[in-house]
Amino acid sequence: AVSMNTRVRLFSAALMGGLLLASWPMFSEAAEARGQVVRDLPATDRAIEPAVEDVFEVGSIAGAAWETFGEEVRVAFDREGNLFLFDTDNARIVVVDRQGRLVREFGQAGGGPGEFRMPMGFTVTPGGEVVVSDVGQQALLIFSTEGEFLRSVPLDLEKGVPGAGFVADPSGGAILSPPGGIRISMRGPGGDTDSGSSLLIQRYGLLEEGEPETLYAAWEPPPPSEGEGGTIEMDGGRSIQLSNMAKLRGFEPEVLFGVTPDGSLVVSDSVAYRVKLLSPDGTPRILLQRPIEPREVTASVREAERQRRLDELDEGEGPRVRMITSGGGGSGMSSSGSGGMTEMLRGRIEDMEFMDEIPVLTDLGVDHTGRIWAQRSGSEVGEDGPIDVLSPTGEYLGTVEAGSMDIPSAFGPHGLVAEVRRDELDVVTVVVRRILF
């Protein structure tokens, strides 16, 4: 029998339509090697103000049974503007129309065909299919938007599985996965295997099992120091033994990722303000940059960030942590609610290390018209900054002031956006708005 050395992965629980903005010719271009164009965006912000209309809100502790959601909810729109809500805790998908009225529910927990055992992420394709990645089933599960189970596509855990934030390939027949999936390592008589780097953007086909196609390998910073292992005491008398894990590291640049309607990739994996526009096959086309310098991580910044994370942990507002384990005894999932998990997180925060600079960009999104939303870090530690709006070809359109909105959880047609929120009672709600410029 093959013994499995479990890699523990921690997961946190993840606009526009109407009038097109005029682009202001405030940039210069220069050819770079490999045909990539470098476009210098203006140094000074030009304010733009969106018109915001509330459309509906679902999710209530006192509402109908269908709108009582678990801790983890992911959202996506179809081409008609219907909203799909993937309630992973309750192993179901809820569909509401453009007025927020229930259309249907489908899905259930289990190990049979079309049932959810350990679901991770989902998306709705332009062709009208709902795709769910399920680690327990080791497959992509594919449904019609009516809820009919169509087929499953096996996943090879040794090659890794898609990150929870995967999106549909606009060209059809595939999903595009950003970094953030699960890596599996195994040890056995046949030798060691490892699914390799997780900092890859990959295309997974939806018709038959095959090798995922790597489109882009993100910049990978030097690995963090190795921390100590230990035992986590879980609820119900269970415990999990951890081997040495890499230390938590503050201000490490994330791989920010989006896809335009024509299939072009939008990527940022830098501390500086650098946004890359790639062809659907991953070929670099345009590099966008603004002369906004990253801030130095000083001793006071380190202390402020450490304290901010500890405060969030104490107030129950920190990351929703899921631990997925796999071994000879089977697979399982544990929530962050146990005291042992909280203490493990506290120790990792207190012992965390830091990068030298705060990344300029903290989030990225692409709306249904192809416009790029790039959110910058705020003036205070942990604060969201303004959002730059760029055209599909990379021209600077303007900046939405800090605090007026965040990049939504999902973009829909006709300016619809959806935002997953959690209130002071820890109740998950989903707010749909229409945002136009």
Side-chain angles (χ1 to χ4, degrees), residues 65-67 69 92-95 102-107 146-147:
W66 68 265
E67 62 173 334
F69 302 118
R92 62 180 181 144
I93 293 173
V94 177
V95 187
L102 176 66
V103 176
R104 70 183 63 89
E105 297 180 71
F106 62 92
E146 301 296 317

Side-chain angles (χ1 to χ4, degrees), residues 399-418:
T399 298
V400 180
E401 69 175 352
S404 61
M405 67 176 61
D406 292 320
I407 293 180
S409 306
F411 294 93
H414 316 298
L416 293 174
V417 303

Side-chain angles (χ1 to χ4, degrees), residues 65-98:
W66 68 265
E67 62 173 334
T68 302
F69 302 118
E71 292 185 356
E72 293 285 342
V73 176
R74 300 184 181 277
V75 290
F77 289 94
D78 67 12
R79 298 178 71 171
E80 287 70 44
N82 299 307
L83 181 65
F84 288 67
L85 304 97
F86 185 29
D87 182 358
T88 60
D89 286 351
N90 295 310
R92 62 180 181 144
I93 293 173
V94 177
V95 187
V96 299
D97 65 16
R98 291 174 62 172

Side-chain angles (χ1 to χ4, degrees), residues 120-135:
M120 293 285 295
F122 97 123
T123 193
V124 180
T125 72
E129 293 182 332
V130 180
V131 183
V132 176
S133 64
D134 193 306
V135 179

Side-chain angles (χ1 to χ4, degrees), residues 270-294:
S270 172
V271 174
Y273 194 119
R274 294 167 65 88
V275 177
K276 304 171 186 178
L277 305 185
L278 313 175
S279 298
D281 64 359
T283 303
R285 293 194 299 110
I286 304 173
L287 172 63
L288 308 174
Q289 54 188 23
R290 286 195 77 184
I292 300 174
E293 296 299 322

Side-chain angles (χ1 to χ4, degrees), residues 278-330:
L278 313 175
S279 298
D281 64 359
T283 303
R285 293 194 299 110
I286 304 173
L287 172 63
L288 308 174
Q289 54 188 23
R290 286 195 77 184
I292 300 174
E293 296 299 322
R295 292 162 49 204
E296 180 186 1
V297 177
T298 62
S300 61
V301 168
R302 289 193 292 271
E303 182 55 34
E305 174 64 5
R306 187 179 287 112
Q307 190 59 52
R308 183 187 71 82
R309 297 195 187 202
L310 290 171
D311 289 344
E312 283 187 345
L313 190 63
D314 291 338
E315 296 167 6
E317 298 178 354
R320 302 284 162 176
V321 176
R322 292 298 174 89
M323 180 179 296
I324 296 178
T325 60
S326 182

Side-chain angles (χ1 to χ4, degrees), residues 132-149:
V132 176
S133 64
D134 193 306
V135 179
Q137 296 277 32
Q138 299 185 28
L140 297 174
L141 309 180
I142 303 172
F143 302 81
S144 72
T145 51
E146 301 296 317
E148 177 189 2
F149 176 62

